[in-house]
Amino acid sequence: MKKHFPDARLLIVDDEEANIQLLQRVLDPEGYGEIVTTTDPTEATTLLTEHDIDLVLLDLMMPEVDGFGVIEAIREVVPEEEYLPILVLTSDHSRDAERRALSGGAKDFLSKPLSPSEVRLRVRNLLETRFLHRALRNHNDLLERRVRERTADLEEARLQILLRLARAAEYRDDVTGEHTKRVGRRSGILARALDLPEGDVAMIELVAPLHDVGKIAIPDAILRKSTELTEAEFEIMKTHTDIGGDLLDDPNVPLLDVAARIARSHHEHWDGSGYPAGLAGDEIPLEGRIVAVADAYDALTHARPYKRAWSAEEALDEISREAGGHFDPDVVEVFGTLAKESRESVA
């Protein structure tokens, strides 16, 4: 004889032991994985969760808690998206009882005396629906997981492309290509010391290396010039902030949204004298204020075609002098404390 749903777990709730034994004799030949029974309706929800039940066979006329109360209790513990069929088996033939049971959450209704073949058929049908629903939900979960994974892969690929673009731009100005990495690391350390949420810290550290990605569009004659830039050349150089912001801007991707804000704002000055928008004080995004300090420190302490490398002490002194002018004084204070206490390797 073919076994139907051999993994299925059934729960029979009936205050009459004789009724339970009858149902067991009817269902045993079907070969279900487990048939749990109870004559105490107050145990129904506990047994339901303990045994991961697939179908409940429920009597209505019971003392203390009747079948309607059990249905209500089951609805409270079973999530709405979970299809758990309840088959009511009762000697109450009234239409009102059937209406109350079905409207309360039961999926089928049979009146006693029961026909064994009909009981088996109804149980099979309800279990088939239960397992089809579960299979569909699992399939949907799998599809959603694959979509999330694919989306994450695409975002990672896009970020990696942009990071490599940033390195390409940096190679034109820093032969080692390490400047962007150092700025990212220091920006993360500084953001954490400023008590930003860890998620924000990780995001800033990840995208800070993109701060100068707009330099990819600046001519070598300007970018690598070993003497002071003319006013016209400096105006061209300043465009790298907006170019980088436009390249990165995507409000639908939080990571790129933060990267774009940093690219546009890391040359703004606390006193409003910076570029490209002349923002001042708290108008400047905090991410930009953080990267401004990390970027300036690294630029000062490493040689460029137009300058020698400063010592750490000289760079810290210069940044401290610019607190309240070029830089956010609170960010400068925290950066200086980190460097002096050597709690973090900012230097």
Side-chain angles (χ1 to χ4, degrees):
M1 178 179 175
K2 181 181 178 180
K3 303 298 182 182
H4 300 278
F5 308 108
D7 295 329
R9 291 173 292 274
L10 280 58
L11 171 63
I12 301 173
V13 184
D14 195 309
D15 64 314
E16 295 288 341
E17 183 64 34
N19 291 338
I20 290 177
Q21 293 177 5
L22 173 61
L23 283 171
Q24 285 183 304
R25 287 196 298 272
V26 169
L27 296 171
D28 278 345
E30 298 289 283
Y32 295 123
E34 183 179 14
I35 298 179
V36 183
T37 69
T38 182
T39 57
D40 182 357
T42 63
E43 295 180 346
T45 54
T46 300
L47 294 172
L48 195 73
T49 54
E50 287 180 350
H51 295 269
D52 193 18
I53 296 299
D54 296 304
L55 170 65
V56 179
L57 295 93
L58 176 65
D59 184 27
L60 283 185
M61 310 298 291
M62 294 183 292
E64 295 187 39
V65 179
D66 62 16
F68 300 113
V70 174
I71 292 173
E72 183 177 350
I74 289 174
R75 288 180 62 183
E76 291 178 358
V77 299
V78 176
E80 289 185 9
E81 65 274 11
E82 181 78 21
Y83 179 83
L84 177 68
I86 300 173
L87 172 58
V88 169
L89 309 169
T90 180
S91 57
D92 187 342
H93 297 194
S94 69
R95 297 292 297 174
D96 182 63
E98 182 177 0
R99 180 192 58 78
R100 283 186 62 192
L102 294 175
S103 64
K107 300 303 181 185
D108 207 346
F109 188 98
L110 282 176
S111 297
K112 298 176 181 178
L114 302 171
S115 162
S117 61
E118 188 169 11
V119 170
R120 286 192 286 264
L121 182 60
R122 299 291 183 97
V123 168
R124 289 177 201 168
N125 289 343
L126 290 172
L127 285 174
E128 182 176 16
T129 305
R130 158 78 170 178
F131 284 103
L132 284 173
H133 182 275
R134 175 175 287 181
L136 179 61
R137 189 182 63 183
N138 291 341
H139 182 65
N140 288 339
D141 289 345
L142 176 62
L143 290 178
E144 289 178 5
R145 185 168 66 252
R146 287 178 176 174
V147 168
R148 288 194 299 269
E149 291 171 354
R150 181 59 177 160
T151 300
D153 289 344
L154 289 172
E155 290 187 3
E156 176 64 18
R158 175 162 50 182
L159 179 61
Q160 288 301 322
I161 290 171
L162 291 170
L163 287 173
R164 281 157 175 73
L165 184 62
R167 290 180 65 185
E170 189 60 32
Y171 279 138
R172 301 169 61 216
D173 194 29
D174 171 14
V175 293
T176 68
E178 293 296 314
H179 169 70
T180 58
K181 294 180 183 178
R182 292 190 299 264
V183 171
R185 180 180 61 83
R186 290 195 181 100
S187 296
I189 292 171
L190 188 48
R192 184 174 289 108
L194 287 163
D195 294 326
L196 270 66
E198 195 58 34
D200 292 349
V201 171
M203 191 174 294
I204 290 171
E205 184 170 356
L206 187 61
V207 301
L210 295 167
H211 65 285
D212 274 340
V213 69
K215 285 184 177 179
I216 198 75
I218 304 301
D220 279 345
I222 295 175
L223 191 64
R224 299 184 62 82
K225 188 176 180 180
S226 59
T227 57
E228 186 175 353
L229 297 179
T230 66
E231 184 176 343
E233 289 170 335
F234 186 56
E235 289 301 315
I236 294 173
M237 175 65 82
K238 289 195 295 185
T239 63
H240 83 275
T241 54
D242 279 329
I243 291 171
D246 291 343
L247 180 64
L248 297 167
D249 195 14
D250 188 342
N252 296 318
V253 181
L255 204 65
L256 295 181
D257 191 40
V258 173
R261 289 203 299 272
I262 289 174
R264 286 198 176 99
S265 66
H266 72 286
H267 281 296
E268 299 286 0
H269 292 182
W270 184 255
D271 62 5
S273 63
Y275 62 88
L279 302 179
D282 290 336
E283 293 177 335
I284 308 168
L286 179 56
E287 308 97 316
R289 288 179 262 153
I290 289 170
V291 173
V293 172
D295 181 37
Y297 178 84
D298 194 77
L300 290 171
T301 54
H302 289 83
R304 293 295 173 88
Y306 49 85
K307 60 171 285 295
R308 68 174 178 84
W310 291 20
S311 69
E313 292 75 15
E314 289 174 318
L316 287 170
D317 286 346
E318 177 65 18
I319 288 173
S320 295
R321 279 193 296 271
E322 289 292 338
H326 188 156
F327 305 112
D328 178 342
D330 292 335
V331 175
V332 170
E333 181 180 1
V334 172
F335 186 80
T337 300
L338 287 173
K340 292 175 182 176
E341 295 181 359
S342 298
R343 292 184 302 156
E344 299 284 359
S345 182
V346 295

